[in-house]
Amino acid sequence: MITALAGGVGAARFLTGLTQLIKQEDLTVIVNTGDDIDLFGLHISPDIDIVTYTLASIINDEKGWGIKDDTFNCLNMLKLFSEVDWFNLGDRDFATSILRTNMLKNGATLSQISAKVSRDLGLKLKILPMTDDKFATYVQIPGDSIHFEEYMVKRAAKDPVLDVKFVGAETAKPAEGVIDAIMDSDRVIICPSNPIVSIGTILSIQGVRDALRKTRAKKVAVSPIVAGAPIKGPADKLLNGLGVEVSAFGVAKLYVDFLDGFVIDSMDAAEKSRIEGLGVKVAVVNTLMKDLASKVALAKIVLDL
Amino acid sequence: MITALAGGVGAARFLTGLTQLIKQEDLTVIVNTGDDIDLFGLHISPDIDIVTYTLASIINDEKGWGIKDDTFNCLNMLKLFSEVDWFNLGDRDFATSILRTNMLKNGATLSQISAKVSRDLGLKLKILPMTDDKFATYVQIPGDSIHFEEYMVKRAAKDPVLDVKFVGAETAKPAEGVIDAIMDSDRVIICPSNPIVSIGTILSIQGVRDALRKTRAKKVAVSPIVAGAPIKGPADKLLNGLGVEVSAFGVAKLYVDFLDGFVIDSMDAAEKSRIEGLGVKVAVVNTLMKDLASKVALAKIVLDL
C-alpha cells in the first residue's frame, strides 16, 4: 500500500507515472484542499479536480488544469453578468463543481464527493481530501490578506509574500481514512508539490505530522525545487516570504522530522551531502517529467529509495 | 403603459411582435414562475428565461427555449455523474441559473435577479416574476402528483391529467410592482399562453385577479387555442383534465370576469358570437405567428381592439 500527499499539477503528473508501476487499488492520494474556494456560489476544489482529471486521463495537459477540449460558454455568460472575471472554469469542469456544491448542500462530505467523482470517472485509487472541514490558505501581501487562488490566479502571484495563513487549520480534522492511510502504508510519498501551500497545508491538519513521524512506512519526498526555483508555481516567493531557503535543502528541512528519503534533481547534486547531513537518504536523478517515460522513471526511483 | 401576462414560448413570440410597436420602456411583462424548479441544486426559471432570451434575441428559435448555438457540455458531464438526466440546459443557460441561485443564496429576490439579467442582456422592458415567493405547479396524474416540468419534459405530457395544484398559491404574494403594473396600465394583454399553468398561475396570486377586475386598463387576451387544440404544449390535456372546454370559448370563460377583448383565430370564427355572448369584444384574425410580420400584425390587433 502506497499513500501520496499531493497538491495539484506537479503531484498529478508524478502520480501518472506512479500508477504505471503500482495498481490503482493500492494507492491512496491525500490532496490539499487549501486552494478550495467558493465562486459563483459553487464550491471549487482545484487540486482534487486536477489530480482526479489527470489520473482519469481527461486533463487539459497544456494548461495542467481543467478538462481537455472543454468549452467556456458558461463562464463567458457569467462574465456578461459581471460575475467574478478572473477565475477560469470550463463547461464540463462546472459540472463537477455543480455536483459538489449540490452534494455538500445535501449533507455529503468532500470525501464522499471525491470518491463518487473519481469512481464515475473510472478510477480505482482512493482520492481523499486532507480534510472535510473548512480550510483556506490566505496569503498576506503588502496591505491585504487574500485567498491563495486570488493571489495565484487573479494577481498572477506577482505580489511579495509577507506571510501565509491556514484559515481553519486549528479546527480542521483529517478526513476519514487520512491517518489510517499514512499509518497502514508501506511507503508515503510526498509529491513534488509546493511545500507550503500544498504539502504544508496537509501537514498542518491535526495528527497528520504526528502520523508521519510514527508510521513504519518509508517516507520519501520528491523535491519541487530544482536549481533554486520551482518547476511551476510561486513556491520561491512563498518560501522567501516565510524565510525558508529556496532549495532542495530548504524543502528537506521542512520535512526533516519525518523524512526518510529525498529525491533531488541532478542540477542540485551539490546539495546531496547537506541534505544527508539532516539524516535523510538522498537520490540524485533527473526529476523533470517531460513525458510518460520520465514520469515512470522518477516514480521507480521513489519506490526503490 | 402596457402590461402583459406571460408564460413561455407563445407569449415570448407574441411579445417579439409587440416590442416592434411600442417602446420597451413602456412594457412590463409579468411572467409565470409555476414552472420554476430546483435541479442540480440550481434554481431554474424556465418561463422567465424564455421571455428574456427571446426579447434579447438570443433564444434558440427552433426549440423555443435555451440560447442559440449553446453547447451542452456541462449537462453531459452531469449525466456522467448520474444526475437528473431528463432536463436540458445549455452551457450558457447554466450560467443564468448559477447566477440566479447564487443571488438567491445571498438574499436577492427573483425580481431583482430578473431585472439584472434582462438589463445585462440589453433589455429595457420590465420583466417581473409573478411572485418572489415559492410557487410550484404540480400535475395530478394517475397514481402520482408530479412537478409540471416533470410532467411536461420528463414524461413528455403523455399522462392523463386528473388535476392541477398550485403549491404555494395560498401564501405567495405578488412580486413588487405586479399589482401596480396592472393598475397603472392603459392596456393589459393576456398573452397566448396556457390558460391553466401559465396564466392561471399568475391569476392565482393574491390580488392579481382582483386588480384585473378593478383596473381601468383594457384587458385583451389572445387565444392560445386554435381549432380546438393548443398551438404548442399540453393545454388540451390540462383543460380536459379540469373539465374545461378545449376551445377559444373555453379559454374566454376562464377570463370572463375581467376580460374586455379576445383575439381568436379565423379557424374559430364560428365561436365569435358565443364569446360575445359573454360580454367580451372579439376580433377574428389569423393568430398563427409564423414570422415577425405576422407577430407584429397580431400585436397591432391586440393594441387596437
Side-chain angles (χ1 to χ4, degrees):
Chain A
M1 302 299 292
I2 308 275
T3 294
L5 311 193
V9 183
R13 288 183 175 160
F14 171 79
L15 293 168
T16 309
L18 185 66
T19 49
Q20 300 291 311
L21 298 173
I22 63 168
K23 283 194 296 184
Q24 283 197 14
E25 289 85 341
D26 295 337
L27 177 62
T28 299
V29 184
I30 300 169
V31 185
N32 166 50
T33 57
D35 296 14
D36 281 30
I37 187 165
D38 284 308
L39 292 173
F40 319 107
L42 301 175
H43 186 87
I44 301 168
S45 297
D47 281 355
I48 290 179
D49 286 349
I50 287 170
V51 169
T52 306
Y53 297 160
T54 302
L55 293 175
S57 303
I58 60 169
I59 194 81
N60 180 323
D61 251 324
E62 249 168 84
K63 289 178 177 166
W65 58 266
I67 297 176
K68 62 182 165 193
D69 303 324
D70 210 351
T71 48
F72 287 81
N73 290 318
C74 183
L75 186 78
N76 287 335
M77 187 82 174
L78 282 165
K79 283 182 184 171
L80 189 150
F81 294 136
S82 330
E83 285 294 287
V84 186
D85 65 353
W86 55 270
F87 197 84
N88 289 311
L89 208 61
D91 293 326
R92 291 180 182 85
D93 219 354
F94 260 105
T96 310
S97 292
I98 289 170
L99 176 85
R100 181 182 295 119
T101 305
N102 195 25
M103 288 183 71
L104 284 172
K105 196 165 74 177
N106 293 323
T109 61
L110 269 187
S111 304
Q112 291 165 336
I113 299 161
S114 304
K116 174 181 165 55
V117 171
S118 62
R119 199 171 54 233
D120 285 352
L121 291 175
L123 295 178
K124 304 247 189 283
L125 73 158
K126 267 206 196 105
I127 295 178
L128 295 179
M130 63 187 196
T131 179
D132 284 327
D133 298 326
K134 274 192 185 284
F135 191 108
T137 300
Y138 272 77
V139 180
Q140 180 73 45
I141 60 171
D144 206 357
S145 175
I146 56 179
H147 189 284
F148 176 71
E149 288 292 320
E150 208 178 328
Y151 166 77
M152 184 69 187
V153 182
K154 186 177 183 184
R155 303 177 64 95
K158 281 184 185 154
D159 305 276
V161 174
L162 305 178
D163 201 1
V164 174
K165 290 256 186 293
F166 298 154
V167 178
E170 280 167 30
T171 51
K173 291 174 297 295
E176 199 186 319
V178 162
I179 299 297
D180 286 350
I182 294 170
M183 293 308 293
D184 300 344
S185 285
D186 303 306
R187 191 162 287 247
V188 176
I189 299 170
I190 293 90
C191 294
S193 296
N194 187 308
I196 307 297
V197 296
S198 298
I199 305 299
T201 47
I202 303 174
L203 298 177
S204 79
I205 300 292
Q206 292 171 26
V208 168
R209 193 153 207 140
D210 208 42
L212 285 166
R213 290 192 198 112
K214 286 182 184 156
T215 178
R216 293 193 187 176
K218 293 292 171 200
K219 288 139 291 182
V220 180
V222 179
S223 177
I225 301 286
V226 171
I231 299 301
K232 196 176 185 307
D236 47 348
K237 287 202 173 170
L238 292 160
L239 289 167
N240 264 326
L242 300 174
V244 177
E245 181 184 312
V246 184
S247 67
F249 176 77
V251 175
K253 266 184 33 181
L254 295 173
Y255 303 155
V256 72
D257 56 315
F258 60 80
L259 200 65
D260 297 307
F262 200 38
V263 178
I264 65 171
D265 194 82
S266 315
M267 286 194 265
D268 300 314
E271 296 185 41
K272 184 170 191 273
S273 58
R274 270 174 90 203
I275 299 168
E276 283 172 342
L278 298 169
V280 174
K281 204 168 171 184
V282 175
V284 181
V285 299
N286 178 5
T287 63
L288 291 186
M289 300 179 284
K290 59 185 196 317
D291 53 22
L292 184 60
S294 53
K295 288 172 196 166
V296 173
L298 179 59
K300 188 150 175 28
I301 302 288
V302 172
L303 288 176
D304 292 346
L305 183 66
Chain B
M1 301 298 291
I2 308 274
T3 294
L5 311 192
V9 182
R13 287 183 176 159
F14 171 79
L15 294 168
T16 309
L18 185 66
T19 48
Q20 299 291 312
L21 297 174
I22 63 168
K23 282 194 297 184
Q24 284 196 16
E25 288 86 341
D26 295 336
L27 177 63
T28 299
V29 183
I30 300 169
V31 185
N32 166 50
T33 58
D35 296 14
D36 281 30
I37 188 165
D38 285 307
L39 292 172
F40 318 107
L42 301 175
H43 187 86
I44 302 168
S45 297
D47 281 355
I48 290 178
D49 286 350
I50 286 169
V51 168
T52 307
Y53 297 160
T54 302
L55 293 175
S57 304
I58 60 169
I59 195 80
N60 179 323
D61 251 322
E62 249 168 83
K63 289 179 176 164
W65 58 266
I67 296 176
K68 62 183 167 194
D69 303 325
D70 210 352
T71 49
F72 287 81
N73 290 319
C74 183
L75 187 77
N76 287 335
M77 187 81 175
L78 282 165
K79 284 182 182 170
L80 189 149
F81 294 137
S82 330
E83 283 296 285
V84 187
D85 64 355
W86 55 270
F87 197 85
N88 289 311
L89 207 63
D91 293 327
R92 291 181 181 85
D93 219 354
F94 259 104
T96 310
S97 292
I98 289 170
L99 175 85
R100 180 183 295 119
T101 306
N102 196 24
M103 288 183 72
L104 284 172
K105 196 166 73 178
N106 292 325
T109 61
L110 270 187
S111 305
Q112 291 165 336
I113 298 160
S114 304
K116 174 181 166 54
V117 171
S118 60
R119 197 171 55 235
D120 285 353
L121 291 174
L123 296 178
K124 304 247 190 282
L125 75 160
K126 267 206 195 102
I127 295 179
L128 294 180
M130 62 187 196
T131 180
D132 284 327
D133 298 326
K134 274 192 185 284
F135 190 110
T137 300
Y138 272 76
V139 179
Q140 180 72 46
I141 60 171
D144 206 357
S145 175
I146 56 177
H147 189 282
F148 176 72
E149 289 292 319
E150 208 178 328
Y151 165 76
M152 184 70 185
V153 182
K154 185 176 182 185
R155 303 176 65 96
K158 280 185 185 152
D159 304 276
V161 174
L162 305 178
D163 201 0
V164 174
K165 291 254 186 296
F166 297 154
V167 179
E170 281 166 29
T171 51
K173 291 176 295 296
E176 199 185 320
V178 162
I179 300 297
D180 286 349
I182 294 170
M183 294 308 292
D184 300 343
S185 285
D186 303 305
R187 191 163 284 250
V188 176
I189 299 170
I190 294 91
C191 293
S193 296
N194 187 308
I196 307 297
V197 297
S198 298
I199 304 299
T201 46
I202 302 175
L203 298 177
S204 79
I205 300 291
Q206 291 170 27
V208 169
R209 193 153 205 138
D210 208 41
L212 284 166
R213 290 193 199 113
K214 286 183 185 155
T215 179
R216 292 191 188 180
K218 293 293 172 201
K219 290 138 290 184
V220 180
V222 179
S223 177
I225 301 287
V226 171
I231 299 300
K232 195 172 187 308
D236 47 348
K237 286 200 177 175
L238 292 160
L239 290 168
N240 264 325
L242 299 174
V244 176
E245 183 184 310
V246 185
S247 67
F249 176 76
V251 175
K253 267 184 35 180
L254 294 173
Y255 302 155
V256 71
D257 56 314
F258 60 80
L259 200 65
D260 297 307
F262 200 39
V263 179
I264 65 171
D265 194 81
S266 314
M267 286 194 263
D268 299 316
E271 294 185 43
K272 183 170 191 273
S273 58
R274 272 174 90 201
I275 298 168
E276 283 172 344
L278 298 169
V280 174
K281 203 166 170 184
V282 176
V284 181
V285 298
N286 179 4
T287 62
L288 291 185
M289 299 178 285
K290 58 184 199 314
D291 53 23
L292 184 60
S294 53
K295 288 172 195 164
V296 173
L298 180 59
K300 188 152 175 29
I301 301 290
V302 172
L303 288 177
D304 292 346
L305 185 65

